[in-house]
């Protein structure tokens, strides 16, 4: 019976983890059991749910804010329209004709023209 | 030890019951959530979503004040106050507040309406201003509500009422520009579909929200100048008061582009109170919707046709015997005595029918109004100068009038009719048609489509339409136009020139038309018209004015009743347009 020994070449890279890689392994001393895991997962789900609810409520809050601003814009537009109408009434031809200034005006007896 | 449920044991029965109940739940839930899915989703949406119509604002209407636009028709939000008599708890306070704040806007006996406990909706006051509504809201009356309504307001009152028209209670424009441009003014309502909260506030949640923005109506700027319109209305009213005519119309145009500067009719109405008008005929704008026989004004058309075809000049002569025979009828002059060899200028000045029948004959073989003569007259009157056809002016209810073609199947387009048409009878036309055609005769020969729209008001300001191009260029030659201007100027100067301001170039033609009643020309009713132009020199007429006065059983003449109104407006226009006299 012959005893045959095979020699395989192994590179240094294969011998180590790999170049530039931390080969130190940290092992936490805190041990979590299955109950703690379940509680943590439940807490994470709860937190995510709360975040979702907060965001959803926030967008709805913006809707109310937007509605309030729209209402203010409509109000201001109404006021602007009222003022424009009042301005149009005050500058209407009949108002101008009936003004005291207009009543005191006289028709010129003659008109001269300057040649341009 | 091996545990197993014994056959028929209570535990096993309980398990079977629970399984059965769970199975029922599963089946029921499958039915509700899968089979009836769409139905319940629809119900939920109906509950959660609301649909809102966002009303578009109706476009406003502006007139010109010189060159600047000024509002003639605007929108105002007014409020209707209503009550739910069942929930009103302090009637005395409601009555007192409304009396103090709403004043004349409350309904008669509105306090008694509050006693009607069988009704949940009673209108107490209408058309309150925003300030009035705010004052009432501040009192916090229980059972009182407000409804905002948009209504048209007219800062210039009844000025230009028949040009503007009005908006009825359903929001549709009626008559005038409101009627014609209803689609443009109305705009397109917007639409919002969204999930809402209990207060109906739209929320951005949900996947089916739809928002279609509203498109407000266009704001139209009229070519009408409010100053000219105001003076025209005053001059017409004063003229009618003086001559006693029951009705009157005036049209002022710029002959160089077809733009209408003023358009007035009496009787008229107040568009802000259109419901109170006694006679709905007042809504009509007679300048565009009441065709009539234009009478002697059309003699300018006949003269222009003769000159343009080269068969006559104003200085040519004919033998006037005050009567002329066409077929089996005899046409006579209204003014007798200018007999002998007279010029066509004299015929125009004294409005002698025989002269214009002679021109019609000369368009034929010299003694007859032949088919070719009639074809020429129809071509000029109807095809070139627009009598008897719609002008396309942007006002509702325009009437086309009638000019019967020579080859009309009825056979009515014969020589007798065309002899009458030569002096303005036997055809129907509106004032806008006659004035537009006349504008072409005095502006060098270009026919412009008459228009009342000058442009649009946009967010960035006034956007004027491009300068109009002639609809039909060279309908008569420039030389023809010059001769017609001269002839009408001479006709006016001979008899009425002293009433014009010195140094200006004014021309025109009177018209007195008989009215057809029951198929016969009435001897007790005539319509008086005057059609003329004015400007600083013969080269540049700045305005064309047409005046018409009429009334049932009234004999009204162009010279006596319509001309003074023309003169009043013409002299005022010279000042208003700052036209310098020649020399």
């Amino acid at each position: 019976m012959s005893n045959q020994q095979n020699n395989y070449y192994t590179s240094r890279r294969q011998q180590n983890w790999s170049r530039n890689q931390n080969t130190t392994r940290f092992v936490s001393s805190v041990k979590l059991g299955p109950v703690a895991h379940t509680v943590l997962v439940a807490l994470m789900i709860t937190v995510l749910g709360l975040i979702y609810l907060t965001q959803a409520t926030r967008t709805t809050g913006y809707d109310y804010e937007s509605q309030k601003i729209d209402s203010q814009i409509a109000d201001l537009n109404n006021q602007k329209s009222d003022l424009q109408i009042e301005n149009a009434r005050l500058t209407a031809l009949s108002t101008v004709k009936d003004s005291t200034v207009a009543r005191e005006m006289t028709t010129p007896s003659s008109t001269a023209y300057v040649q341009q | 030890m091996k545990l197993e449920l014994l056959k028929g044991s209570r535990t096993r029965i309980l398990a079977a019951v629970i399984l059965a109940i769970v199975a029922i739940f599963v089946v029921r839930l499958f039915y509700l959530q899968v089979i009836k899915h769409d139905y319940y989703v629809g119900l939920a949406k109906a509950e959660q979503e609301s649909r809102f119509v966002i009303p578009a604002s109706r476009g406003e209407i502006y007139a010109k004040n010189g060159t600047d636009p000024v509002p003639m028709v605007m929108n105002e939000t007014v409020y209707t106050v209503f009550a739910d008599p069942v929930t009103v708890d302090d009637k005395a306070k409601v009555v007192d507040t409304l009396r103090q704040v709403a004043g004349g806007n409350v309904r008669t006996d509105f306090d008694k309406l509050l006693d009607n406990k069988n009704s949940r909706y009673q209108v107490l006051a209408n058309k309150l201003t925003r300030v009035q509504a705010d004052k009432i809201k501040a009192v916090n009356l229980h059972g009182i509500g407000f409804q905002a309504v948009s209504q048209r307001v007219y800062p210039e009152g009844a000025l230009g009422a028949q040009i503007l028209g009005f908006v009825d209670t359903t929001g549709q424009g009626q008559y005038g520009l409101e009627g014609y441009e209803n689609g443009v003014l109305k705009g397109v309502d917007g639409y919002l579909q969204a999930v809402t909260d209990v207060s109906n506030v739209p929320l951005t949640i949900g996947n089916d929200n739809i928002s279609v923005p509203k498109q407000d109506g266009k704001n139209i700027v009229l070519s009408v100048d409010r100053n000219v319109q105001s003076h025209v209305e005053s001059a017409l009213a004063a003229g009618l008061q003086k001559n006693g005519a029951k009705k009157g119309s005036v049209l002022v145009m710029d002959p160089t582009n077809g733009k209408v500067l003023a358009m007035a009719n009496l009787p008229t109405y107040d568009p802000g109170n259109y419901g109170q008008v006694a006679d709905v005929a007042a809504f009509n704008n007679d300048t565009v919707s009441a065709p009539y026989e234009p009478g002697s004004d059309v003699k300018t058309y006949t003269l222009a046709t003769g000159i343009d075809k080269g068969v006559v000049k104003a200085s040519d002569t004919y033998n006037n015997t005050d009567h002329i025979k066409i077929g089996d009828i005899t046409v006579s002059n209204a003014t007798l005595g200018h007999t002998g060899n007279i010029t066509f200028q004299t015929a125009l000045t004294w409005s002698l029918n025989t002269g214009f029948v002679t021109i019609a004959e000369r368009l034929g073989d010299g003694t007859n109004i032949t088919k070719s003569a009639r074809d020429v007259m129809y071509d000029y009157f109807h095809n070139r100068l627009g009598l008897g056809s719609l002008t396309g002016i942007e006002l509702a209810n325009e009437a086309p009038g009638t000019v019967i073609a020579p080859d009309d199947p009825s056979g009515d387009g014969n020589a007798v009719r065309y002899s009458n048409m030569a002096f303005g009878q036997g055809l129907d036309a509106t004032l806008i048609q006659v004035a537009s055609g006349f504008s072409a005769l005095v502006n060098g020969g270009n026919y412009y489509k008459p228009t009342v729209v000058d442009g649009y008001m946009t967010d960035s300001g006034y956007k004027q339409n491009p300068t109009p191009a002639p609809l039909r260029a060279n309908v008569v030659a420039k030389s023809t136009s010059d001769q017609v201007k001269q002839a009408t100027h001479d006709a006016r100067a001979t008899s009425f020139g002293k009433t014009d301001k010195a140094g200006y170039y004014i021309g025109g033609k009177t018209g007195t038309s008989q009215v057809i009643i029951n198929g016969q020309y009435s001897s007790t009713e005539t319509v008086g018209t005057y059609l003329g132009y004015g400007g600083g020199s013969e080269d540049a007429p700045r305005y064309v004015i047409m005046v018409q006065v009429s009334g049932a059983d009234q004999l009204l003449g162009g010279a006596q009743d319509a001309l003074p109104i023309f003169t009043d407006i013409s002299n005022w226009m010279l000042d208003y347009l700052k036209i310098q006299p020649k020399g």
Side-chain angles (χ1 to χ4, degrees), chain B residues 492-510:
Chain B
R492 181 173 174 86
T494 303
S495 307
F496 316 110
K498 287 178 184 171
T499 56
D500 293 328
K501 286 192 162 198
Y504 294 97
Y505 198 81
I506 317 292
K509 179 73 192 81
T510 56

Side-chain angles (χ1 to χ4, degrees), chain B residues 345-525:
Chain B
Q345 176 64 59
T346 306
L348 186 75
T349 303
W350 296 102
S351 202
L352 306 177
N353 296 339
T354 52
F356 297 89
V357 176
T358 303
I359 293 175
E361 288 177 339
R362 291 191 187 179
L363 287 167
D365 60 10
T367 51
N368 295 293
I369 305 174
T370 59
K371 172 72 165 49
S372 63
R374 301 200 298 274
D375 284 339
V376 168
M377 286 178 70
Y378 184 78
D379 181 40
Y380 276 79
F381 284 26
H382 182 268
N383 299 340
R384 297 184 183 216
L385 298 166
L387 297 185
S389 55
L390 295 172
T391 64
I393 193 165
E394 305 88 347
L395 296 169
N397 307 324
E398 187 189 5
T402 314
V403 175
I404 292 177
D407 47 8
D408 190 88
S410 67
D412 284 346
N414 54 26
V416 172
R417 175 170 296 277
Y418 273 75
S419 69
N420 284 332
M421 279 168 52
F423 54 88
Q425 288 190 344
L427 75 164
D428 283 333
T430 57
L431 263 66
I432 191 72
Q433 290 170 7
V434 178
S436 301
F438 184 72
S439 294
L441 295 182
V442 299
N443 72 7
N446 294 318
Y447 181 91
Y448 290 89
K449 174 186 173 291
T451 180
V452 291
V453 177
D454 197 45
Y456 297 89
M457 283 294 278
T458 64
D459 292 339
S460 54
Y462 174 38
K463 205 169 183 181
Q464 193 171 22
N465 287 340
T467 307
L471 186 66
R472 292 185 286 274
N474 304 316
V475 291
V476 295
K478 168 86 167 58
S479 58
T480 302
S481 173
D482 291 343
Q483 289 183 63
V484 172
K485 264 188 291 188
Q486 185 65 49
T488 47
H489 170 72
D490 292 348
R492 181 173 174 86
T494 303
S495 307
F496 316 110
K498 287 178 184 171
T499 56
D500 293 328
K501 286 192 162 198
Y504 294 97
Y505 198 81
I506 317 292
K509 179 73 192 81
T510 56
T512 303
S513 327
Q514 287 178 286
V515 176
I516 297 175
I517 297 174
N518 298 327
Q520 298 284 324
Y521 281 110
S522 167
S523 58
T524 59
E525 188 174 329

Side-chain angles (χ1 to χ4, degrees), chain A residues 56 59-60 63-64 67 75 78-82 84-86 88-89 91-97 111 113-116, chain B residues 71 74-77 79 130 153 155-156 159 197 201-205 226-227 230 234 504 574-575 578-581 583:
Chain A
T59 52
T60 310
D63 291 336
Y64 288 108
Q67 172 78 6
D75 243 21
N78 277 343
Q79 284 182 35
K80 182 184 161 202
S81 293
D82 287 352
Q84 282 175 334
I85 291 166
E86 196 55 32
R89 281 182 178 137
T91 54
L93 213 52
S94 53
T95 315
V96 174
K97 277 182 176 174
T111 312
Y113 292 87
V114 177
Q115 291 297 327
Q116 292 173 334
Chain B
M74 304 176 85
N75 299 312
E76 182 179 36
T77 304
Y79 296 83
R130 190 180 52 80
V153 285
E156 301 287 347
L159 192 72
D197 71 354
V201 174
L203 305 174
T204 47
I205 55 174
R226 73 168 180 177
N227 301 299
S230 174
S234 305
Y504 294 97
L574 294 169
D575 283 343
K578 299 184 178 70
I579 301 171
Q580 292 198 5

Side-chain angles (χ1 to χ4, degrees), chain B residues 23-40:
Chain B
I24 289 169
F25 271 101
V26 168
V27 170
R28 182 64 183 162
L29 285 173
F30 180 80
Y31 174 76
L32 291 176
Q33 295 187 4
V34 179
I35 295 174
K36 299 290 280 182
H37 174 266
D38 292 344
Y39 171 73
Y40 285 106

Side-chain angles (χ1 to χ4, degrees), chain B residues 294-370:
Chain B
S296 298
D297 299 331
V298 169
K299 286 171 182 167
T300 55
Y301 283 56
T302 309
L303 180 65
T305 306
I307 293 171
D308 210 51
K309 295 306 285 183
V311 299
V312 291
K313 294 194 294 288
S315 55
D316 287 353
T317 58
Y318 77 104
N319 184 32
N320 175 36
T321 58
D322 277 341
H323 307 284
I324 189 165
K325 206 164 167 50
I326 305 292
D328 54 355
I329 67 145
T330 301
V331 172
S332 301
N333 291 328
T335 307
L336 302 174
H338 297 276
T339 52
N341 263 342
I342 62 167
T343 62
F344 288 104
Q345 176 64 59
T346 306
L348 186 75
T349 303
W350 296 102
S351 202
L352 306 177
N353 296 339
T354 52
F356 297 89
V357 176
T358 303
I359 293 175
E361 288 177 339
R362 291 191 187 179
L363 287 167
D365 60 10
T367 51
N368 295 293
I369 305 174
T370 59

Side-chain angles (χ1 to χ4, degrees), chain B residues 89-252:
Chain B
D89 52 10
D90 191 347
K91 183 189 162 189
K93 196 175 176 187
V94 170
V95 171
D96 193 41
T97 307
L98 285 180
R99 282 217 172 105
Q100 279 182 17
V101 180
N105 297 95
V106 292
R107 288 179 69 187
T108 321
D109 296 335
F110 75 98
D111 49 338
K112 287 179 186 162
L113 299 173
L114 293 168
D115 297 329
N116 185 2
K117 301 291 180 190
N118 294 324
S119 168
R120 302 298 302 266
Y121 182 83
Q122 289 289 343
V123 173
L124 305 181
N126 284 309
K127 297 188 176 181
L128 265 66
T129 63
R130 190 180 52 80
V131 176
Q132 285 174 307
D134 285 347
K135 279 184 182 170
I136 298 170
K137 281 177 191 170
V139 182
N140 245 335
L141 298 168
H142 199 237
I144 298 296
F146 298 84
Q147 192 176 2
V149 184
S150 180
Q151 71 166 18
R152 296 296 241 184
V153 285
Y154 304 86
E156 301 287 347
L159 192 72
Q162 285 139 333
I163 303 171
L164 302 173
F166 59 88
V167 178
D168 67 15
T169 48
T170 65
Q172 299 300 313
Q174 301 291 345
Y175 297 90
L177 189 79
E178 296 270 23
Y180 188 89
E181 297 283 22
N182 187 48
V184 173
L185 289 163
K186 201 175 172 187
V188 181
D189 289 346
Y191 177 73
L192 176 65
Q193 178 183 300
V195 174
T196 54
D197 71 354
V198 285
S199 309
N200 236 13
V201 174
L203 305 174
T204 47
I205 55 174
N207 299 321
D208 298 326
N209 290 1
I210 299 170
S211 175
V212 179
K214 65 172 179 168
Q215 292 169 30
D216 288 338
K218 280 188 169 182
N219 300 317
I220 298 177
V221 180
L222 297 172
S223 58
V224 171
D225 186 311
R226 73 168 180 177
N227 301 299
V228 182
Q229 181 71 26
S230 174
H231 183 78
V232 162
E233 289 187 8
S234 305
L236 180 60
L240 295 197
Q241 198 172 19
K242 202 171 172 185
N243 60 33
K246 292 169 188 163
K247 292 174 70 180
S249 298
V250 178
L251 178 61
V252 183

